[in-house]
Amino acid sequence: AQTVTQSQPEMSVQEAETVTLSCTYDTSESDYYLFWYKQPPSRQMILVIRQEAYKQQNATENRFSVNFQKAAKSFSLKISDSQLGDAAMYFCAYRSGGWETSGSRLTFGEGTQLTVNP
Amino acid sequence: DGGITQSPKYLFRKEGQNVTLSCEQNLNHDAMYWYRQDPGQGLRLIYYSQIVNDFQKGDIAEGYSVSREKKESFPLTVTSAQKNPTAFYLCASRITDRGGAFFGQGTRLTVV
């Protein structure tokens, strides 16, 4: 079974600075998708960014970007110009690209709690 | 507006009683999921369903049951066999393509 590991339980950053959250995963598959989700205090899960494994180009969404290292099985999230509203729990997630039943399984890491200091 | 609706937001039950959590989506999504989240922890997969009348056990299915009779609905029953049911439960759905999953607002279940 695939596993997702986030080794940083907590991170902090100064407002307007840049922070990088780490994620590694274990899989033997070549076709898969990776995601970063944000969970603010409201506990609503919000999709931040996604990456298809077959794409070499790193995904970018405004101030959020990823560093996808397929060979190293690493998928880090960079938040630039951090804002107070970025404070939340961030989860890394993996999903197989297969069309069979297992392709629906979505596996999450343990999360990283990000604090943004004014 | 399209979205995923979980109800109720807060639920209290006595120990030994079964309870059913509702999850409805009008996004025409094929796949649906149930996750459990304990304080300060990640999301653990309980059950998931890719199509109507089919579902698969996740990592912590013991003490839970689901049904998928309609595409829009994926209710979760927490049975008396679940030893520690107090938790935050999240439902999600995803169209069968390369996209991510969308989540409901969650149900906080407290068993006393």
Side-chain angles (χ1 to χ4, degrees):
Chain A
Q2 291 78 17
T3 58
V4 178
T5 302
Q6 293 178 249
S7 59
Q8 307 155 315
E10 298 177 349
M11 291 282 286
S12 63
V13 63
Q14 291 295 126
E15 195 175 4
E17 297 294 312
T18 296
V19 63
T20 299
L21 308 183
S22 300
C23 173
T24 59
Y25 57 95
D26 183 27
T27 185
S28 59
E29 300 173 327
S30 60
D31 184 20
Y32 53 86
Y33 307 93
L34 296 164
F35 308 90
W36 278 100
Y37 282 86
K38 169 184 176 181
Q39 187 181 42
S42 67
R43 305 194 80 171
Q44 174 72 55
M45 293 287 286
I46 302 165
L47 178 62
V48 174
I49 198 167
R50 76 177 193 197
Q51 174 80 42
E52 291 93 335
Y54 68 87
K55 289 187 176 179
Q56 292 186 342
Q57 185 174 7
N58 289 323
T60 299
E61 289 286 345
N62 300 314
R63 297 182 296 106
F64 298 87
S65 62
V66 300
N67 183 6
F68 174 48
Q69 301 290 327
K70 191 172 184 179
K73 298 180 182 176
S74 170
F75 183 61
S76 61
L77 175 70
K78 186 172 80 171
I79 306 174
S80 303
D81 185 25
S82 297
Q83 301 175 0
L84 295 177
D86 295 333
M89 181 74 87
Y90 286 82
F91 292 99
C92 179
Y94 172 102
R95 180 169 67 82
S96 170
W99 286 101
E100 65 279 8
T101 301
S102 62
S104 275
R105 188 181 180 101
L106 183 60
T107 302
F108 285 83
E110 290 294 312
T112 296
Q113 181 67 51
L114 178 66
T115 301
V116 181
N117 300 309
Chain B
D1 290 336
I4 304 171
T5 302
Q6 288 187 244
S7 60
K9 189 172 182 179
Y10 299 96
L11 188 56
F12 295 87
R13 279 295 182 271
K14 291 184 177 180
E15 191 173 344
Q17 290 182 335
N18 291 356
V19 59
T20 297
L21 280 60
S22 171
C23 179
E24 303 279 334
Q25 54 98 359
N26 59 4
L27 299 167
N28 198 34
H29 285 179
D30 295 301
M32 296 188 75
Y33 308 81
W34 274 107
Y35 289 90
R36 170 180 172 141
Q37 186 177 29
D38 292 289
Q41 297 189 24
L43 279 67
R44 292 186 290 169
L45 183 62
I46 305 172
Y47 270 97
Y48 62 106
S49 168
Q50 186 152 295
I51 57 173
V52 174
N53 293 323
D54 185 55
F55 48 82
Q56 305 295 322
K57 291 183 179 180
D59 300 316
I60 56 166
E62 184 175 353
Y64 299 98
S65 66
V66 293
S67 63
R68 187 81 188 278
E69 298 177 359
K70 299 186 299 181
K71 188 176 185 178
E72 302 79 17
S73 179
F74 191 42
L76 173 73
T77 297
V78 184
T79 74
S80 57
Q82 168 52 230
K83 296 180 180 179
N84 186 20
T86 294
F88 186 63
Y89 291 87
L90 283 160
C91 179
S93 70
R94 179 184 63 82
I95 198 166
T96 307
D97 67 355
R98 300 176 183 275
F102 293 88
F103 283 80
Q105 292 186 311
T107 294
R108 173 68 183 174
L109 173 65
T110 302
V111 176
V112 296

PDB file of all heavy atoms in Angstrom, chain A residues 43, chain B residues 8-17 19 21 78 84-89 107-112:
ATOM      1  N   ARG A  43     -11.837  23.704   9.837  1.00  0.00           N
ATOM      2  CA  ARG A  43     -11.715  22.263   9.537  1.00  0.00           C
ATOM      3  C   ARG A  43     -12.219  21.908   8.137  1.00  0.00           C
ATOM      4  O   ARG A  43     -12.310  20.741   7.791  1.00  0.00           O
ATOM      5  CB  ARG A  43     -12.399  21.409  10.598  1.00  0.00           C
ATOM      6  CG  ARG A  43     -11.909  21.710  12.000  1.00  0.00           C
ATOM      7  CD  ARG A  43     -12.306  20.673  13.008  1.00  0.00           C
ATOM      8  NE  ARG A  43     -11.423  19.516  12.938  1.00  0.00           N
ATOM      9  CZ  ARG A  43     -11.438  18.524  13.819  1.00  0.00           C
ATOM     10  NH1 ARG A  43     -12.287  18.552  14.824  1.00  0.00           N
ATOM     11  NH2 ARG A  43     -10.619  17.489  13.703  1.00  0.00           N
TER      12      ARG A  43
ATOM     13  N   PRO B   8     -25.662  15.784  10.520  1.00  0.00           N
ATOM     14  CA  PRO B   8     -25.591  17.134  11.071  1.00  0.00           C
ATOM     15  C   PRO B   8     -24.145  17.559  11.278  1.00  0.00           C
ATOM     16  O   PRO B   8     -23.232  16.762  11.097  1.00  0.00           O
ATOM     17  CB  PRO B   8     -26.320  16.989  12.405  1.00  0.00           C
ATOM     18  CG  PRO B   8     -26.002  15.589  12.827  1.00  0.00           C
ATOM     19  CD  PRO B   8     -25.967  14.775  11.564  1.00  0.00           C
ATOM     20  N   LYS B   9     -23.927  18.789  11.693  1.00  0.00           N
ATOM     21  CA  LYS B   9     -22.583  19.275  11.955  1.00  0.00           C
ATOM     22  C   LYS B   9     -22.055  18.703  13.272  1.00  0.00           C
ATOM     23  O   LYS B   9     -20.878  18.394  13.411  1.00  0.00           O
ATOM     24  CB  LYS B   9     -22.573  20.800  12.001  1.00  0.00           C
ATOM     25  CG  LYS B   9     -21.186  21.404  12.048  1.00  0.00           C
ATOM     26  CD  LYS B   9     -21.248  22.910  11.897  1.00  0.00           C
ATOM     27  CE  LYS B   9     -19.845  23.515  11.884  1.00  0.00           C
ATOM     28  NZ  LYS B   9     -19.876  24.993  11.711  1.00  0.00           N
ATOM     29  N   TYR B  10     -22.936  18.617  14.267  1.00  0.00           N
ATOM     30  CA  TYR B  10     -22.599  18.026  15.561  1.00  0.00           C
ATOM     31  C   TYR B  10     -23.615  16.933  15.881  1.00  0.00           C
ATOM     32  O   TYR B  10     -24.819  17.104  15.646  1.00  0.00           O
ATOM     33  CB  TYR B  10     -22.633  19.081  16.677  1.00  0.00           C
ATOM     34  CG  TYR B  10     -21.662  20.213  16.478  1.00  0.00           C
ATOM     35  CD1 TYR B  10     -22.068  21.411  15.893  1.00  0.00           C
ATOM     36  CD2 TYR B  10     -20.326  20.083  16.859  1.00  0.00           C
ATOM     37  CE1 TYR B  10     -21.172  22.447  15.699  1.00  0.00           C
ATOM     38  CE2 TYR B  10     -19.434  21.123  16.667  1.00  0.00           C
ATOM     39  CZ  TYR B  10     -19.869  22.299  16.090  1.00  0.00           C
ATOM     40  OH  TYR B  10     -18.976  23.319  15.902  1.00  0.00           O
ATOM     41  N   LEU B  11     -23.125  15.837  16.432  1.00  0.00           N
ATOM     42  CA  LEU B  11     -23.987  14.706  16.730  1.00  0.00           C
ATOM     43  C   LEU B  11     -23.548  14.069  18.038  1.00  0.00           C
ATOM     44  O   LEU B  11     -22.354  13.809  18.233  1.00  0.00           O
ATOM     45  CB  LEU B  11     -23.904  13.687  15.589  1.00  0.00           C
ATOM     46  CG  LEU B  11     -24.864  12.509  15.582  1.00  0.00           C
ATOM     47  CD1 LEU B  11     -26.303  12.990  15.636  1.00  0.00           C
ATOM     48  CD2 LEU B  11     -24.630  11.674  14.329  1.00  0.00           C
ATOM     49  N   PHE B  12     -24.527  13.842  18.903  1.00  0.00           N
ATOM     50  CA  PHE B  12     -24.251  13.216  20.189  1.00  0.00           C
ATOM     51  C   PHE B  12     -25.054  11.928  20.279  1.00  0.00           C
ATOM     52  O   PHE B  12     -26.218  11.890  19.921  1.00  0.00           O
ATOM     53  CB  PHE B  12     -24.643  14.151  21.342  1.00  0.00           C
ATOM     54  CG  PHE B  12     -23.817  15.402  21.390  1.00  0.00           C
ATOM     55  CD1 PHE B  12     -24.178  16.508  20.647  1.00  0.00           C
ATOM     56  CD2 PHE B  12     -22.665  15.461  22.156  1.00  0.00           C
ATOM     57  CE1 PHE B  12     -23.420  17.673  20.674  1.00  0.00           C
ATOM     58  CE2 PHE B  12     -21.900  16.617  22.190  1.00  0.00           C
ATOM     59  CZ  PHE B  12     -22.279  17.715  21.458  1.00  0.00           C
ATOM     60  N   ARG B  13     -24.402  10.872  20.742  1.00  0.00           N
ATOM     61  CA  ARG B  13     -25.070   9.583  20.897  1.00  0.00           C
ATOM     62  C   ARG B  13     -24.583   8.903  22.162  1.00  0.00           C
ATOM     63  O   ARG B  13     -23.477   9.135  22.639  1.00  0.00           O
ATOM     64  CB  ARG B  13     -24.777   8.677  19.703  1.00  0.00           C
ATOM     65  CG  ARG B  13     -25.620   8.958  18.490  1.00  0.00           C
ATOM     66  CD  ARG B  13     -27.088   8.669  18.718  1.00  0.00           C
ATOM     67  NE  ARG B  13     -27.904   8.886  17.537  1.00  0.00           N
ATOM     68  CZ  ARG B  13     -28.465  10.031  17.218  1.00  0.00           C
ATOM     69  NH1 ARG B  13     -28.318  11.081  18.007  1.00  0.00           N
ATOM     70  NH2 ARG B  13     -29.193  10.135  16.149  1.00  0.00           N
ATOM     71  N   LYS B  14     -25.464   8.055  22.669  1.00  0.00           N
ATOM     72  CA  LYS B  14     -25.067   7.267  23.827  1.00  0.00           C
ATOM     73  C   LYS B  14     -24.278   6.046  23.359  1.00  0.00           C
ATOM     74  O   LYS B  14     -24.518   5.511  22.266  1.00  0.00           O
ATOM     75  CB  LYS B  14     -26.305   6.831  24.611  1.00  0.00           C
ATOM     76  CG  LYS B  14     -27.020   7.979  25.312  1.00  0.00           C
ATOM     77  CD  LYS B  14     -28.171   7.456  26.135  1.00  0.00           C
ATOM     78  CE  LYS B  14     -28.851   8.598  26.903  1.00  0.00           C
ATOM     79  NZ  LYS B  14     -29.990   8.108  27.724  1.00  0.00           N
ATOM     80  N   GLU B  15     -23.403   5.613  24.218  1.00  0.00           N
ATOM     81  CA  GLU B  15     -22.599   4.433  23.916  1.00  0.00           C
ATOM     82  C   GLU B  15     -23.511   3.240  23.681  1.00  0.00           C
ATOM     83  O   GLU B  15     -24.503   3.042  24.386  1.00  0.00           O
ATOM     84  CB  GLU B  15     -21.653   4.154  25.078  1.00  0.00           C
ATOM     85  CG  GLU B  15     -20.597   3.117  24.787  1.00  0.00           C
ATOM     86  CD  GLU B  15     -19.587   3.003  25.917  1.00  0.00           C
ATOM     87  OE1 GLU B  15     -19.537   3.922  26.763  1.00  0.00           O
ATOM     88  OE2 GLU B  15     -18.849   2.005  25.950  1.00  0.00           O
ATOM     89  N   GLY B  16     -23.163   2.445  22.655  1.00  0.00           N
ATOM     90  CA  GLY B  16     -23.953   1.265  22.343  1.00  0.00           C
ATOM     91  C   GLY B  16     -25.015   1.479  21.283  1.00  0.00           C
ATOM     92  O   GLY B  16     -25.623   0.512  20.819  1.00  0.00           O
ATOM     93  N   GLN B  17     -25.226   2.716  20.878  1.00  0.00           N
ATOM     94  CA  GLN B  17     -26.205   3.018  19.837  1.00  0.00           C
ATOM     95  C   GLN B  17     -25.525   3.159  18.489  1.00  0.00           C
ATOM     96  O   GLN B  17     -24.432   3.711  18.391  1.00  0.00           O
ATOM     97  CB  GLN B  17     -26.939   4.329  20.161  1.00  0.00           C
ATOM     98  CG  GLN B  17     -27.877   4.251  21.345  1.00  0.00           C
ATOM     99  CD  GLN B  17     -28.606   5.565  21.581  1.00  0.00           C
ATOM    100  OE1 GLN B  17     -28.124   6.626  21.192  1.00  0.00           O
ATOM    101  NE2 GLN B  17     -29.766   5.502  22.227  1.00  0.00           N
ATOM    102  N   VAL B  19     -25.335   4.953  14.844  1.00  0.00           N
ATOM    103  CA  VAL B  19     -25.658   6.288  14.360  1.00  0.00           C
ATOM    104  C   VAL B  19     -25.244   6.399  12.899  1.00  0.00           C
ATOM    105  O   VAL B  19     -24.227   5.841  12.498  1.00  0.00           O
ATOM    106  CB  VAL B  19     -24.963   7.373  15.215  1.00  0.00           C
ATOM    107  CG1 VAL B  19     -23.443   7.206  15.194  1.00  0.00           C
ATOM    108  CG2 VAL B  19     -25.365   8.758  14.772  1.00  0.00           C
ATOM    109  N   LEU B  21     -24.332   8.906   9.686  1.00  0.00           N
ATOM    110  CA  LEU B  21     -23.920  10.229   9.237  1.00  0.00           C
ATOM    111  C   LEU B  21     -24.269  10.360   7.766  1.00  0.00           C
ATOM    112  O   LEU B  21     -23.985   9.470   6.955  1.00  0.00           O
ATOM    113  CB  LEU B  21     -22.410  10.395   9.430  1.00  0.00           C
ATOM    114  CG  LEU B  21     -21.892  10.723  10.826  1.00  0.00           C
ATOM    115  CD1 LEU B  21     -22.275   9.636  11.837  1.00  0.00           C
ATOM    116  CD2 LEU B  21     -20.389  10.906  10.802  1.00  0.00           C
ATOM    117  N   VAL B  78     -22.031   4.344  12.012  1.00  0.00           N
ATOM    118  CA  VAL B  78     -21.076   4.008  13.054  1.00  0.00           C
ATOM    119  C   VAL B  78     -21.784   3.041  13.997  1.00  0.00           C
ATOM    120  O   VAL B  78     -22.772   3.405  14.636  1.00  0.00           O
ATOM    121  CB  VAL B  78     -20.612   5.268  13.803  1.00  0.00           C
ATOM    122  CG1 VAL B  78     -19.533   4.913  14.825  1.00  0.00           C
ATOM    123  CG2 VAL B  78     -20.105   6.326  12.832  1.00  0.00           C
ATOM    124  N   ASN B  84     -14.065   3.213  19.663  1.00  0.00           N
ATOM    125  CA  ASN B  84     -13.786   4.601  20.017  1.00  0.00           C
ATOM    126  C   ASN B  84     -14.337   5.521  18.940  1.00  0.00           C
ATOM    127  O   ASN B  84     -13.577   6.058  18.138  1.00  0.00           O
ATOM    128  CB  ASN B  84     -12.277   4.790  20.173  1.00  0.00           C
ATOM    129  CG  ASN B  84     -11.923   6.178  20.682  1.00  0.00           C
ATOM    130  OD1 ASN B  84     -12.763   6.863  21.247  1.00  0.00           O
ATOM    131  ND2 ASN B  84     -10.685   6.588  20.471  1.00  0.00           N
ATOM    132  N   PRO B  85     -15.651   5.697  18.876  1.00  0.00           N
ATOM    133  CA  PRO B  85     -16.255   6.401  17.758  1.00  0.00           C
ATOM    134  C   PRO B  85     -16.182   7.923  17.816  1.00  0.00           C
ATOM    135  O   PRO B  85     -16.424   8.576  16.798  1.00  0.00           O
ATOM    136  CB  PRO B  85     -17.718   5.945  17.824  1.00  0.00           C
ATOM    137  CG  PRO B  85     -17.938   5.663  19.268  1.00  0.00           C
ATOM    138  CD  PRO B  85     -16.639   5.101  19.774  1.00  0.00           C
ATOM    139  N   THR B  86     -15.864   8.492  18.954  1.00  0.00           N
ATOM    140  CA  THR B  86     -15.813   9.952  19.054  1.00  0.00           C
ATOM    141  C   THR B  86     -14.694  10.483  18.174  1.00  0.00           C
ATOM    142  O   THR B  86     -13.525  10.153  18.381  1.00  0.00           O
ATOM    143  CB  THR B  86     -15.593  10.381  20.512  1.00  0.00           C
ATOM    144  OG1 THR B  86     -16.737  10.019  21.280  1.00  0.00           O
ATOM    145  CG2 THR B  86     -15.384  11.885  20.592  1.00  0.00           C
ATOM    146  N   ALA B  87     -15.062  11.304  17.176  1.00  0.00           N
ATOM    147  CA  ALA B  87     -14.083  11.812  16.208  1.00  0.00           C
ATOM    148  C   ALA B  87     -14.775  12.795  15.275  1.00  0.00           C
ATOM    149  O   ALA B  87     -15.990  13.002  15.336  1.00  0.00           O
ATOM    150  CB  ALA B  87     -13.485  10.670  15.392  1.00  0.00           C
ATOM    151  N   PHE B  88     -13.978  13.372  14.397  1.00  0.00           N
ATOM    152  CA  PHE B  88     -14.466  14.260  13.339  1.00  0.00           C
ATOM    153  C   PHE B  88     -14.484  13.445  12.057  1.00  0.00           C
ATOM    154  O   PHE B  88     -13.487  12.822  11.695  1.00  0.00           O
ATOM    155  CB  PHE B  88     -13.527  15.460  13.225  1.00  0.00           C
ATOM    156  CG  PHE B  88     -13.983  16.517  12.269  1.00  0.00           C
ATOM    157  CD1 PHE B  88     -15.159  17.215  12.488  1.00  0.00           C
ATOM    158  CD2 PHE B  88     -13.219  16.839  11.158  1.00  0.00           C
ATOM    159  CE1 PHE B  88     -15.573  18.212  11.621  1.00  0.00           C
ATOM    160  CE2 PHE B  88     -13.622  17.831  10.279  1.00  0.00           C
ATOM    161  CZ  PHE B  88     -14.800  18.516  10.506  1.00  0.00           C
ATOM    162  N   TYR B  89     -15.642  13.422  11.377  1.00  0.00           N
ATOM    163  CA  TYR B  89     -15.804  12.608  10.180  1.00  0.00           C
ATOM    164  C   TYR B  89     -15.966  13.502   8.950  1.00  0.00           C
ATOM    165  O   TYR B  89     -16.804  14.412   8.930  1.00  0.00           O
ATOM    166  CB  TYR B  89     -17.005  11.683  10.327  1.00  0.00           C
ATOM    167  CG  TYR B  89     -16.794  10.605  11.356  1.00  0.00           C
ATOM    168  CD1 TYR B  89     -17.084  10.829  12.702  1.00  0.00           C
ATOM    169  CD2 TYR B  89     -16.262   9.362  10.992  1.00  0.00           C
ATOM    170  CE1 TYR B  89     -16.864   9.853  13.656  1.00  0.00           C
ATOM    171  CE2 TYR B  89     -16.042   8.380  11.948  1.00  0.00           C
ATOM    172  CZ  TYR B  89     -16.339   8.636  13.271  1.00  0.00           C
ATOM    173  OH  TYR B  89     -16.111   7.657  14.216  1.00  0.00           O
ATOM    174  N   THR B 107     -18.652  16.223  10.185  1.00  0.00           N
ATOM    175  CA  THR B 107     -19.557  15.970  11.304  1.00  0.00           C
ATOM    176  C   THR B 107     -18.727  15.596  12.521  1.00  0.00           C
ATOM    177  O   THR B 107     -17.903  14.688  12.451  1.00  0.00           O
ATOM    178  CB  THR B 107     -20.543  14.827  10.999  1.00  0.00           C
ATOM    179  OG1 THR B 107     -21.431  15.232   9.952  1.00  0.00           O
ATOM    180  CG2 THR B 107     -21.360  14.461  12.235  1.00  0.00           C
ATOM    181  N   ARG B 108     -18.976  16.323  13.607  1.00  0.00           N
ATOM    182  CA  ARG B 108     -18.296  16.006  14.849  1.00  0.00           C
ATOM    183  C   ARG B 108     -19.200  15.083  15.653  1.00  0.00           C
ATOM    184  O   ARG B 108     -20.265  15.474  16.089  1.00  0.00           O
ATOM    185  CB  ARG B 108     -18.029  17.295  15.639  1.00  0.00           C
ATOM    186  CG  ARG B 108     -17.475  17.061  17.051  1.00  0.00           C
ATOM    187  CD  ARG B 108     -16.096  16.489  17.033  1.00  0.00           C
ATOM    188  NE  ARG B 108     -15.610  16.196  18.384  1.00  0.00           N
ATOM    189  CZ  ARG B 108     -14.462  15.583  18.644  1.00  0.00           C
ATOM    190  NH1 ARG B 108     -13.682  15.193  17.652  1.00  0.00           N
ATOM    191  NH2 ARG B 108     -14.105  15.381  19.885  1.00  0.00           N
ATOM    192  N   LEU B 109     -18.773  13.830  15.815  1.00  0.00           N
ATOM    193  CA  LEU B 109     -19.546  12.838  16.550  1.00  0.00           C
ATOM    194  C   LEU B 109     -18.964  12.677  17.953  1.00  0.00           C
ATOM    195  O   LEU B 109     -17.767  12.440  18.094  1.00  0.00           O
ATOM    196  CB  LEU B 109     -19.538  11.496  15.823  1.00  0.00           C
ATOM    197  CG  LEU B 109     -20.169  10.313  16.569  1.00  0.00           C
ATOM    198  CD1 LEU B 109     -21.661  10.544  16.775  1.00  0.00           C
ATOM    199  CD2 LEU B 109     -19.927   9.012  15.816  1.00  0.00           C
ATOM    200  N   THR B 110     -19.828  12.800  18.936  1.00  0.00           N
ATOM    201  CA  THR B 110     -19.421  12.574  20.320  1.00  0.00           C
ATOM    202  C   THR B 110     -20.302  11.481  20.919  1.00  0.00           C
ATOM    203  O   THR B 110     -21.525  11.589  20.903  1.00  0.00           O
ATOM    204  CB  THR B 110     -19.573  13.849  21.167  1.00  0.00           C
ATOM    205  OG1 THR B 110     -18.783  14.894  20.580  1.00  0.00           O
ATOM    206  CG2 THR B 110     -19.099  13.611  22.595  1.00  0.00           C
ATOM    207  N   VAL B 111     -19.658  10.441  21.392  1.00  0.00           N
ATOM    208  CA  VAL B 111     -20.374   9.333  22.020  1.00  0.00           C
ATOM    209  C   VAL B 111     -20.108   9.372  23.517  1.00  0.00           C
ATOM    210  O   VAL B 111     -18.950   9.387  23.959  1.00  0.00           O
ATOM    211  CB  VAL B 111     -19.941   7.990  21.420  1.00  0.00           C
ATOM    212  CG1 VAL B 111     -20.621   6.837  22.161  1.00  0.00           C
ATOM    213  CG2 VAL B 111     -20.278   7.947  19.947  1.00  0.00           C
ATOM    214  N   VAL B 112     -21.196   9.402  24.286  1.00  0.00           N
ATOM    215  CA  VAL B 112     -21.050   9.523  25.744  1.00  0.00           C
ATOM    216  C   VAL B 112     -21.607   8.292  26.452  1.00  0.00           C
ATOM    217  O   VAL B 112     -22.359   7.525  25.874  1.00  0.00           O
ATOM    218  CB  VAL B 112     -21.751  10.793  26.248  1.00  0.00           C
ATOM    219  CG1 VAL B 112     -21.077  12.014  25.661  1.00  0.00           C
ATOM    220  CG2 VAL B 112     -23.230  10.764  25.901  1.00  0.00           C
TER     221      VAL B 112
END
